[in-house]
Amino acid sequence: MQQTLLNLVANANKYLSDYILIALLVGTGLFFTIKTKFVQVRCFGDGLRQTFGNLKFRGGKQSGGLSSFQALATAIAAQVGTGNIVGASGAILVGGPGAIFWMWVIAFLGMATIYAEAVLAQETRIKDEKGEISGGPVYYIKKAFPNGFGTFLSVFFAIASVLALGFMGSMVQSNSIAETCNTAFGIPVWVMGAAVSVIAAVIFIGGVSRLASVTEKMVPLMALFYILSGIVILCIRARFLPETIGMIFKFAFTPSALIGGGIGYALKTAISQGAKRGLFSNEAGMGSTPHAHAMANVSKPHDQGVVAMIGVFIDTFIVLTMTALVVISCLYAGDGPLAGLAGDAYMAATSGANAIVTKTSAMQMAFGSAIGSETFGNGFVAVCLFFFALSTIIGWNFFGKINARYLTKNSKWGTVIYAVIAIAFIFTGSLLSNDLVWELTDFFNYLMVIPNVIALVALYKVVVKNSKR
């Protein structure tokens, strides 16, 4: 049954990622880049000042909403997860090292898109009688289309986000935690699934204040630890870095030299892998992180828009790039196990039942080969992935909860039922096929993109007005 479902969803995803997703992400990113006169370049310094100018790891409880940094940390908690390790590795294995170049392109354009998302989330957020703030795509979709079409799109988005973030997305994270910990420490997958479920439940019960308190401390520390560790590996493999950088650019435009097939097929594969794994990593255009940015207490929407851009920059150009450089320098360059392979030999080594490296094991193998200890590599990456994936579960569950409240008209019981089902999915994800949970998550992520970008484009004048400085 799992295999039948996998084949069905995988076929649907091919059309969505290879055609619709690329057109929407690239088109929307280009549109806002041009309309805002390259806001991601003009206002990059402003974003850095807004993000790090008054950096505090103890933002405290806000009188409604979150501090700007807490909102960013919550957004990055969702962005920096399995996609930065397993997703990036999978994109490289399937599309070649050149897929990372296309991730950079998607991220650069996505910085303008996420600026638009954060600005509109701020512009359309609401505050209830208790002073609690809610915001996100469902609110700016309704502003863009205050009619039956808007109601349909907002409900469609809310359902897709509950399924993609609260349920399916959490399965990917718990699945990756369970698999890497099983490989590294021999812990049964169901035990890790149960442990992650309990930890997540404790944080969920604490509400937005506990979530913000956890993310504002955990996210900076885990990202810094991972980056410093990656730098150590790159120092060990320093002599192969020129070759590594060269491969990224070479295979971005001539991937057929590595993965075989015609240049058209190979290039489409590299670009589509960059697009869909870029979306899963930085989430620009997906409509997930605006839920966090809507809650930021800032003086004007532009301020959180530029902060949101920094989130994409950190996620893709720093954390994900670190993964890419480590994997390529250790596995593809010099004496790496995939060095010199091409065509059928490469495909046999990276896919199928007899693959010597998979998207789940790639980073573990890379660290292990560089250090000279497979045990260390497995354990280190398992620990990093645990915190990365847990942070994403926390962030995504919160975003899904906002949409569950929207669908149930703030019903307390609706929220409780959502939380129980979400925890059940976290545990179930640890037991399922890795490929199946990834395909399911990709499918619902793609569905979120469609209504989100329609509303973004419809409200572009509001974004442009905010971007003028």
Side-chain angles (χ1 to χ4, degrees):
M1 182 176 177
Q2 284 193 45
Q3 188 60 46
T4 301
L5 182 58
L6 173 60
N7 293 337
L8 181 65
V9 179
N11 287 330
N13 283 345
K14 284 181 181 178
Y15 291 99
L16 287 169
S17 64
D18 290 354
Y19 303 104
I20 297 175
L21 184 67
I22 291 175
L24 289 176
L25 292 182
V26 174
T28 305
L30 275 172
F31 178 78
F32 279 107
T33 296
I34 294 170
K35 286 294 183 181
T36 61
K37 298 180 180 179
F38 287 81
V39 67
Q40 66 268 58
V41 178
R42 288 192 301 109
C43 300
F44 185 77
D46 190 17
L48 290 176
R49 287 189 293 273
Q50 291 288 342
T51 303
F52 301 110
N54 295 298
L55 181 61
K56 295 179 181 179
F57 293 139
R58 294 180 62 86
K61 186 174 181 180
Q62 304 289 304
S63 56
L66 306 172
S67 71
S68 181
F69 182 75
Q70 285 176 334
L72 176 65
T74 302
I76 294 180
Q79 292 168 311
V80 178
T82 301
N84 293 79
I85 299 179
V86 179
S89 299
I92 294 170
L93 293 177
V94 176
I100 299 302
F101 173 84
W102 297 110
M103 280 190 181
W104 290 340
V105 172
I106 292 294
F108 176 76
L109 298 175
M111 290 173 72
T113 303
I114 209 164
Y115 173 85
E117 291 180 296
V119 164
L120 292 177
Q122 280 280 319
E123 289 276 7
T124 59
R125 69 182 192 167
I126 62 172
K127 184 179 290 189
D128 63 20
E129 63 277 3
K130 297 180 181 179
E132 293 184 1
I133 296 172
S134 295
V138 291
Y139 297 97
Y140 57 71
I141 289 172
K142 287 292 292 181
K143 179 179 177 64
F145 306 103
N147 50 32
F149 181 61
T151 299
F152 167 76
L153 281 184
S154 62
V155 170
F156 181 92
F157 177 88
I159 293 173
S161 63
V162 167
L163 293 172
L165 305 178
F167 301 160
M168 306 300 172
S170 294
M171 287 204 301
V172 166
Q173 310 301 326
S174 63
N175 181 278
S176 296
I177 291 174
E179 284 206 9
T180 53
C181 286
N182 179 260
T183 300
F185 310 117
I187 302 173
V189 292
W190 71 267
V191 172
M192 283 308 305
V196 172
S197 299
V198 171
I199 295 171
V202 170
I203 297 173
F204 296 168
I205 292 170
V208 67
S209 295
R210 183 175 298 172
L211 179 147
S213 178
V214 170
T215 57
E216 70 179 342
K217 299 175 182 64
M218 183 168 72
V219 169
L221 292 176
M222 74 180 189
L224 181 62
F225 179 66
Y226 183 73
I227 291 165
L228 291 176
S229 302
I231 290 173
V232 171
I233 300 300
L234 294 182
C235 288
I236 295 173
R237 303 287 291 181
R239 65 188 185 280
F240 300 117
L241 284 181
E243 181 183 356
T244 297
I245 301 297
M247 284 179 156
I248 293 176
F249 289 95
K250 173 186 176 182
F251 292 124
F253 301 99
T254 59
S256 58
L258 178 68
I259 64 179
I263 182 62
Y265 165 79
L267 190 57
K268 184 185 73 173
T269 300
I271 295 174
S272 67
Q273 284 296 314
K276 72 179 185 180
R277 290 295 159 240
L279 172 69
F280 191 85
S281 175
N282 63 58
E283 302 179 33
M286 194 169 85
S288 53
T289 59
H291 298 98
H293 294 302
M295 302 188 71
N297 292 318
V298 291
S299 60
K300 55 185 182 295
H302 169 81
D303 292 345
Q304 196 60 26
V306 295
V307 167
M309 294 191 316
I310 300 304
V312 172
F313 181 83
I314 292 171
D315 171 86
T316 301
F317 291 101
I318 297 180
V319 180
L320 184 142
T321 297
M322 182 59 68
T323 296
L325 293 177
V326 169
V327 168
I328 298 170
S329 66
C330 293
L331 303 186
Y332 288 80
D335 55 355
L338 299 179
L341 298 182
D344 292 341
Y346 174 77
M347 298 303 291
T350 58
S351 61
N354 297 319
I356 63 174
V357 57
T358 66
K359 62 178 177 284
T360 306
S361 67
M363 196 61 170
Q364 290 179 313
M365 183 180 293
F367 264 83
S369 65
I371 297 296
S373 170
E374 181 179 344
T375 300
F376 173 84
N378 290 345
F380 177 81
V381 175
V383 171
C384 288
L385 189 60
F386 174 84
F387 287 104
F388 276 33
L390 179 63
S391 74
T392 300
I393 289 174
I394 295 168
W396 278 2
N397 179 270
F398 174 59
F399 302 158
K401 179 181 178 181
I402 292 173
N403 287 280
R405 288 172 56 189
Y406 177 81
L407 291 170
T408 60
K409 301 185 185 302
N410 288 321
S411 166
K412 180 180 178 180
W413 283 109
T415 303
V416 171
I417 293 171
Y418 163 79
V420 172
I421 296 174
I423 292 169
F425 267 86
I426 293 171
F427 177 74
T428 303
S430 65
L431 308 177
L432 294 180
S433 156
N434 181 270
D435 290 335
L436 176 59
V437 294
W438 274 92
E439 293 291 349
L440 285 170
T441 301
D442 283 342
F443 178 75
F444 288 104
N445 283 350
Y446 302 158
L447 294 185
M448 288 176 62
V449 172
I450 298 171
N452 183 54
V453 298
I454 290 174
L456 291 177
V457 173
L459 294 172
Y460 80 92
K461 292 182 179 179
V462 179
V463 178
V464 172
K465 181 180 178 181
N466 277 276
S467 71
K468 292 178 179 179
R469 303 176 62 250

